[in-house]
Amino acid sequence: MDISLSKIKTPLGSRSFTNINMDINDYINEKVLVGNYHDQNGKEYTFQSNRTATWGDKQFRYNTFVMGYWPYCNPIIVVDEYDVPTGEEYGYIVKDESIYLYGIVYDKDDVPNISNDSIAILN
């Protein structure tokens, strides 16, 4: 991952920007999700750079992206080998150095929201 800092002059003064030289969604995946975790019951969860996740005995490919249409959480979209969504979706929120995983429910306007209880709290 190639990261560089740039400074430019603007009418409001000098501003610093970070050039990450990669897709923003890959960057978010690397910085937020990639790693090995355990939930409150000791179950292992792994997220990899190639967007493969292992949750206990379950392994799947996923996509994640910067929030936009998802107002309450960040999405984990399960995809097939062609990156086509399978319809299985999860959400996550990073809070207090933990990742809270949730199921997704849709309201009457088809807006995704997190379920009332977390599936797991990962540390």
Side-chain angles (χ1 to χ4, degrees):
M1 179 173 11
D2 183 21
I3 297 176
S4 60
L5 297 176
S6 302
K7 261 196 171 174
I8 63 168
K9 295 262 186 195
T10 71
L12 301 175
S14 187
R15 298 285 187 256
S16 294
F17 294 89
T18 302
N19 181 3
I20 58 173
N21 293 327
M22 67 186 307
D23 177 78
I24 187 65
N25 298 313
D26 290 336
Y27 182 77
I28 297 294
N29 186 54
E30 287 287 331
K31 291 295 185 184
V32 178
L33 288 177
V34 170
N36 298 313
Y37 307 93
H38 290 89
D39 70 9
Q40 60 274 27
N41 299 317
K43 182 178 174 181
E44 188 172 11
Y45 292 73
T46 303
F47 294 91
Q48 298 179 20
S49 296
N50 67 359
R51 295 190 187 181
T52 300
T54 305
W55 296 3
D57 294 336
K58 178 180 181 174
Q59 187 174 40
F60 58 90
R61 290 183 33 77
Y62 67 94
N63 282 331
T64 188
F65 49 88
V66 177
M67 287 188 334
Y69 180 65
W70 291 61
Y72 304 105
C73 63
N74 298 290
I76 297 172
I77 309 295
V78 178
V79 296
D80 65 16
E81 66 271 17
Y82 303 106
D83 283 340
V84 175
T86 65
E88 190 175 352
E89 301 172 333
Y90 301 95
Y92 71 92
I93 297 172
V94 178
K95 179 179 165 187
D96 300 328
E97 298 185 20
S98 296
I99 297 174
Y100 290 71
L101 293 178
Y102 293 89
I104 296 299
V105 294
Y106 284 84
D107 67 15
K108 63 179 175 54
D109 297 320
D110 208 29
V111 175
N113 200 343
I114 57 176
S115 56
N116 290 333
D117 297 315
S118 63
I119 296 171
I121 301 170
L122 308 182
N123 292 297

